[in-house]
Amino acid sequence: MRITEKLTVKDSLVSFEVFPPKTDSAFDSIERSVRELAAFNPDFMSVTYGAGGGTSQYTVKIASLIKNKLDTTALAHLTCASTTKEQIADILESLKSNNIDNVLALRGDLPENFSSRSGNYYDYAYELVTEIKKYGYFDVGAACYPECHTECDSLEKDIENLKKKVDCGVDFLITQLFYDNDVFYSFIEKMRKKGVFVPVFAGIMPITNIKQIDRIISLSGTKIPDEVNAFLNKYSDNPESLHKAGLDFAVKQVNDLLKNGVQGVHIYTMNKPLTAETVLKGMPR
Ligand SMILES: Cc1cc2nc3c(=O)[nH]c(=O)nc-3n(C[C@H](O)[C@H](O)[C@H](O)COP(=O)(O)OP(=O)(O)OC[C@H]3O[C@@H](n4cnc5c(N)ncnc54)[C@H](O)[C@@H]3O)c2cc1C
């Protein structure tokens, strides 16, 4: 089922993000996690795409497992920064032949030789969106950044670029993770003022360990609210309590978003069924 069809029957969707294996030998253990996650009956499950593009077959394989064996709506991520136009066309054909009709169109992080790239690549996600829409088969999602994309000088400019991308045919957006819901609400207001009206699903990454949150802060500069800082400090030497506090915070965050009419909650599960289960159990479903 297409994600836009799901939205016609439900006000708010719950989705899980998983990552595919990088090698054949890791496939079975990831398949087990994906099966456990699908058993919670999310509205859709998305499968990430390896930055360099070299493991794209696993994205298709896991998305196909979700759709064709686990009877769950699948959303395949696809990035264009390191994948040629020809390879993109092959992957889209492969998704189509596996009945996967939802794609998250992303640029991906830039390879080091970006400035010397030829016309063999789509340079921005909006070009990929335009290309995928030509098939007339896929629902197309895209990424957005409540705290501004790291390469853009200002949130205003980033939202202008987002509007151009959405106008190329984006059906829904999924946000970068955030921990301060006020940042999300303010972003939605700014987007709507600029004329971006497609559904937006809030990206939620439950904090489960210190290393993970340190990495997030260093990569994206995400704002960490006082409440989160307090439990990070309090439980810096107590991984179990930190894990519990992180999940409790995620539940609180999700419930506040639902109370305020969010159109979807997209949980970055890190392939951990317990994370998804805890957040789901805390939600009024
Ligand atoms: C929900 C979500 C899922 C993700 N999944 C993956 C994944 O599976 N694999 C992966 O490798 N990465 C993934 N990413 C990371 C993403 O690929 C990076 O953040 C990447 O740097 C930007 O991708 P984008 O699609 O947002 O790019 P774009 O929308 O192309 O934007 C990139 C930058 O270019 C600017 N820009 C856009 N259009 C224009 C224009 N017309 N002129 C000038 N500037 C412009 C934007 O403001 C922004 O700064 C994901 C991110 C999110 C939020």
Side-chain angles (χ1 to χ4, degrees):
M1 196 189 231
R2 291 200 170 79
I3 289 172
T4 50
E5 284 175 62
K6 293 243 156 196
L7 282 162
T8 61
V9 288
K10 280 179 106 174
D11 292 336
S12 183
L13 306 184
V14 176
S15 52
F16 296 161
E17 181 169 303
V18 297
F19 55 80
K22 290 196 175 80
T23 58
D24 274 343
S25 59
F27 195 87
D28 287 354
S29 82
I30 293 210
E31 174 171 354
R32 268 196 303 279
S33 300
V34 169
R35 282 181 180 274
E36 278 184 55
L37 283 160
F40 296 125
N41 203 18
D43 292 300
F44 68 90
M45 288 175 74
S46 84
V47 188
T48 61
Y49 185 90
T55 56
S56 62
Q57 77 273 19
Y58 294 115
T59 299
V60 178
K61 230 171 144 181
I62 293 287
S64 178
L65 164 77
I66 291 167
K67 166 83 188 209
N68 300 309
K69 294 207 179 126
L70 305 177
D71 202 21
T72 299
T73 296
L75 167 67
H77 297 208
L78 179 57
T79 72
C80 56
S82 303
T83 307
T84 64
K85 289 181 180 175
E86 207 180 334
Q87 289 166 330
I88 296 272
D90 288 346
I91 294 166
L92 290 171
E93 283 306 334
S94 174
L95 290 172
K96 204 172 155 192
S97 64
N98 280 283
N99 309 314
I100 297 153
D101 47 12
N102 301 287
V103 177
L104 191 68
L106 301 145
R107 189 199 64 185
D109 290 324
L110 294 175
E112 277 170 21
N113 59 345
F114 177 66
S115 57
S116 63
R117 279 149 54 99
S118 66
N120 282 343
Y121 294 87
Y122 301 107
D123 287 336
Y124 291 104
Y126 77 86
E127 296 169 77
L128 183 59
V129 172
T130 305
E131 183 58 25
I132 301 173
K133 273 298 182 186
K134 284 185 194 159
Y135 284 68
Y137 178 78
F138 300 102
D139 262 16
V140 179
C144 63
Y145 303 83
E147 295 175 81
C148 191
H149 185 255
T150 44
E151 287 164 33
C152 201
D153 296 341
S154 72
L155 185 58
E156 281 62 34
K157 183 74 202 151
D158 205 29
I159 293 176
E160 276 169 31
N161 290 335
L162 177 65
K163 161 103 175 92
K164 285 186 205 152
K165 177 162 74 174
V166 169
D167 288 348
C168 292
V170 169
D171 295 298
F172 58 89
L173 294 166
I174 303 181
T175 75
Q176 174 68 287
L177 60 90
F178 60 90
Y179 293 101
D180 185 336
N181 285 359
D182 286 340
V183 167
F184 174 80
Y185 300 136
S186 151
F187 173 66
I188 296 289
E189 206 182 308
K190 286 184 178 139
M191 264 181 46
R192 301 305 189 214
K193 273 192 190 146
K194 288 266 185 197
V196 179
F197 296 111
V198 291
V200 182
F201 306 148
I204 301 297
M205 166 92 74
I207 297 168
T208 53
N209 65 65
I210 282 277
K211 249 203 202 150
Q212 165 210 15
I213 190 76
D214 284 349
R215 192 162 170 272
I216 289 167
I217 297 167
S218 72
L219 283 179
S220 60
T222 304
K223 184 177 168 201
I224 303 297
D226 291 345
E227 183 182 347
V228 174
N229 267 324
F231 73 71
L232 289 177
N233 290 331
K234 185 168 174 194
Y235 300 128
S236 60
D237 293 326
N238 186 341
E240 256 176 49
S241 297
L242 183 87
H243 187 264
K244 183 178 179 316
L247 290 178
D248 287 349
F249 181 80
V251 168
K252 215 167 124 181
Q253 197 185 1
V254 164
N255 283 328
D256 181 72
L257 289 164
L258 291 172
K259 216 170 63 197
N260 284 285
V262 73
Q263 287 152 301
V265 173
H266 184 70
I267 302 168
Y268 295 109
T269 68
M270 304 302 287
N271 293 2
K272 294 198 168 76
L274 177 65
T275 298
E277 184 182 16
T278 310
V279 177
L280 280 186
K281 273 189 177 159
M283 284 169 59
R285 277 189 109 197

